[in-house]
């Protein structure tokens, strides 16, 4: 699919957990979408997905290749002619401190900041953009010391809270990731104040995002991102401490798309979160997937310690008119999808093995007949 000038919405990060779900919500809401992707291979991944194929989109989905978001003018072509932008693309943690300490700035901070500023500059140049929605995080408005439990917090985190950016070196990937979100928010708000663009900007601050990742096709891929906490508990892994704050991926996607509506106030931050006790996942899994637990496909004996922080998402619920999906549905979504993938993979492997046995027997039969 080529780029179409009639697109009214640009989405970045559509090949990610949040981005793909947001793309589906936007297409179902009737938007004509241009997705910015890093390569044609990434575009092909989206085009070939069954959920995209089922929508029969015609010209309502097109792509523009943006190979490097830190380059100057990276999004100039992508924003041409569009009315709205949902900017999700930003570096994520690997989940295993795989990024060397001396590369934290280049891997996390610079792409988050430069990608955001490049998008804002491009939106200004376009003269057609009316609103930009940026995916931030609760870590942009909550100090890392509080998120990790080293510092107690007695008051709820509000969407107006801000954290002072501290440069590295950072001790962990999580600290570097949090700093990237702090820096991107700080730089974006400074840019808006300085440039006074004709469009407004909304920052969304989701908590730990839980829910099926429709792009995951293997158990390993399903374990990526924050779904790894729930799945880790299901599979018997013991974690450290996490803030007791989660949000269903569908809520995150829904709010991204609804943020484009004119009655939603702009130039604001909105928190997406509901309170969670991580170890409740075990009771939910036992109740919702009894056969998998009984057969030890889900050992269901992991754990994670809660850090008690309240995130005030009441403004979000009032403004968007919904109640956050609870932890039970989040767990059922994550674990149910994981089991689907395992079952599908096992069936495929069994079919492949059967085909190989059949081929071997056929070959052996031919050899016997040839030697008879």
């Amino acid at each position: 699919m080529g780029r179409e000038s009639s697109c009214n919405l640009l989405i970045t990060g559509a090949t990610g957990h949040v981005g793909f779900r947001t793309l589906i919500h936007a297409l179902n809401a009737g938007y004509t979408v241009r997705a910015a992707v890093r390569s044609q291979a990434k575009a092909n991944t989206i085009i070939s997905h069954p959920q995209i194929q089922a929508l029969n989109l015609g010209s309502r989905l097109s792509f523009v290749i943006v190979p490097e978001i830190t380059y100057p003018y990276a999004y100039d072509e992508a924003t041409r002619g569009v009315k709205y932008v949902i900017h999700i693309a930003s570096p994520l943690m690997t989940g295993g401190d795989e990024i060397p300490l001396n590369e934290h700035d280049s891997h996390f901070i610079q792409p988050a900041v430069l990608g955001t500023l490049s998008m804002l500059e491009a939106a200004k140049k376009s003269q057609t953009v009316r609103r930009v929605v940026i995916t931030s995080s609760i870590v942009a408005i909550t100090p890392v010391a509080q998120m990790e439990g080293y510092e107690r917090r007695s008051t709820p985190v509000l969407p107006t809270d801000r954290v002072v950016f501290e440069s590295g070196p950072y001790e962990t990937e999580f600290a570097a990731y949090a700093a990237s979100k702090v820096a991107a928010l700080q730089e974006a708000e400074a840019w808006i104040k300085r440039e006074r663009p004709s469009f407004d900007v909304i920052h969304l601050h989701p908590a730990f995002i839980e829910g099926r990742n429709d792009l995951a096709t293997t158990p390993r891929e399903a374990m990526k991102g924050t779904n790894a906490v729930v799945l880790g508990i299901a599979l018997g892994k013991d974690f450290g401490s996490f803030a007791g704050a989660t949000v269903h991926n569908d809520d995150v996607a829904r709010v991204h798309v609804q943020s484009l509506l004119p009655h939603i106030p702009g130039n604001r931050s909105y928190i997406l979160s509901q309170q969670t006790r991580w170890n409740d996942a075990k009771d939910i899994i036992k109740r919702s997937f009894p056969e998998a637990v009984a057969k030890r496909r889900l050992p269901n004996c992991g754990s994670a310690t809660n850090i008690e922080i309240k995130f005030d998402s009441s403004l979000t619920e009032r403004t968007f008119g919904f109640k956050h999906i609870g932890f039970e549905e989040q767990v059922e979504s994550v674990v149910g999808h994981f089991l689907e993938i395992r079952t599908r993979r096992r069936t495929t492997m069994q079919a492949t093995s059967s085909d190989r046995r059949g081929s071997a027997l056929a070959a052996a039969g031919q050899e016997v007949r040839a030697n008879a």
Side-chain angles (χ1 to χ4, degrees), residues 125-331:
K125 288 179 189 174
S126 76
Q127 299 185 348
T128 59
V129 173
R130 292 293 170 261
R131 174 165 289 178
V132 177
V133 179
I134 298 175
T135 312
S136 184
S137 168
I138 56 171
V139 300
I141 55 177
T142 317
V144 168
Q146 295 175 10
M147 290 292 296
E148 294 186 332
Y150 300 120
E151 178 184 305
R152 291 184 61 83
R153 185 182 184 108
S154 58
T155 59
V157 177
L158 302 174
T160 51
D161 288 350
R162 294 295 180 266
V163 176
V164 176
F165 173 72
E166 294 184 7
S167 58
Y170 305 102
E171 294 183 2
T172 63
E173 272 194 15
F174 177 70
Y177 168 75
S180 76
K181 290 300 187 182
V182 170
L185 176 61
Q186 177 179 291
E187 293 295 329
E189 292 186 327
W191 186 92
I192 294 164
K193 185 176 181 180
R194 181 175 66 250
E195 299 294 331
R196 299 183 180 278
S198 58
F199 57 86
D200 57 28
V201 178
I202 286 177
H203 282 93
L204 300 180
H205 303 273
F208 290 91
I209 300 170
E210 307 296 328
R212 62 184 292 137
N213 180 354
D214 288 311
L215 291 176
T217 57
T218 67
R220 183 180 179 84
E221 289 173 351
M223 289 287 293
K224 290 181 178 179
T226 49
N227 281 348
V229 183
V230 166
L231 287 176
I233 292 171
L235 296 173
K237 183 174 181 178
D238 291 326
F239 292 95
S241 301
F242 297 102
T246 61
V247 59
H248 198 295
N249 197 25
D250 271 334
D251 281 342
V252 180
R254 179 188 303 116
V255 171
H256 272 81
V257 176
Q258 288 183 352
S259 291
L260 307 177
L261 298 175
H263 71 272
I264 302 297
N267 293 326
R268 291 189 183 183
S269 280
Y270 297 97
I271 293 173
L272 294 106
S273 177
Q274 55 90 54
Q275 285 186 281
T276 289
R277 298 198 63 82
W278 289 103
N279 284 333
D280 286 351
K282 288 184 281 191
D283 291 333
I284 296 168
I285 292 165
K286 184 178 180 180
R287 185 167 59 248
S288 300
F289 307 99
E291 183 179 350
V293 173
K295 292 183 177 180
R296 300 292 292 170
R297 285 194 288 153
L298 298 175
N300 203 31
C301 56
S303 67
T305 304
N306 261 55
I307 296 171
E308 300 297 334
I309 304 179
K310 180 172 174 53
F311 295 88
D312 188 346
S313 58
S314 59
L315 173 65
T316 306
E317 293 190 344
R318 288 198 309 272
T319 302
F320 292 88
F322 78 105
K323 285 288 184 183
H324 282 83
I325 298 171
F327 190 50
E328 181 158 354
E329 289 185 55
Q330 295 171 28
V331 171

Side-chain angles (χ1 to χ4, degrees), residues 50-101:
Q51 289 188 39
I52 296 295
Q53 293 285 313
L55 289 175
N56 242 347
L57 294 168
S59 61
R60 284 209 301 121
L61 175 63
S62 59
F63 298 86
V64 58
I65 308 299
V66 181
E68 180 49 69
I69 66 175
T70 62
Y71 287 172
Y73 322 117
Y75 289 114
D76 283 11
E77 179 70 11
T79 56
R80 188 168 298 167
V82 303
K83 188 174 182 181
Y84 308 108
V85 174
I86 295 178
H87 180 49
I88 300 172
S90 192
L92 297 173
M93 292 181 290
T94 65
D97 280 330
E98 297 173 14
I99 307 301
L101 297 181

Side-chain angles (χ1 to χ4, degrees), residues 106-120:
S106 60
H107 183 85
F108 291 106
I109 312 299
Q110 294 305 312
V113 172
L114 296 178
T116 298
L117 293 179
S118 178
M119 179 60 76
L120 293 173

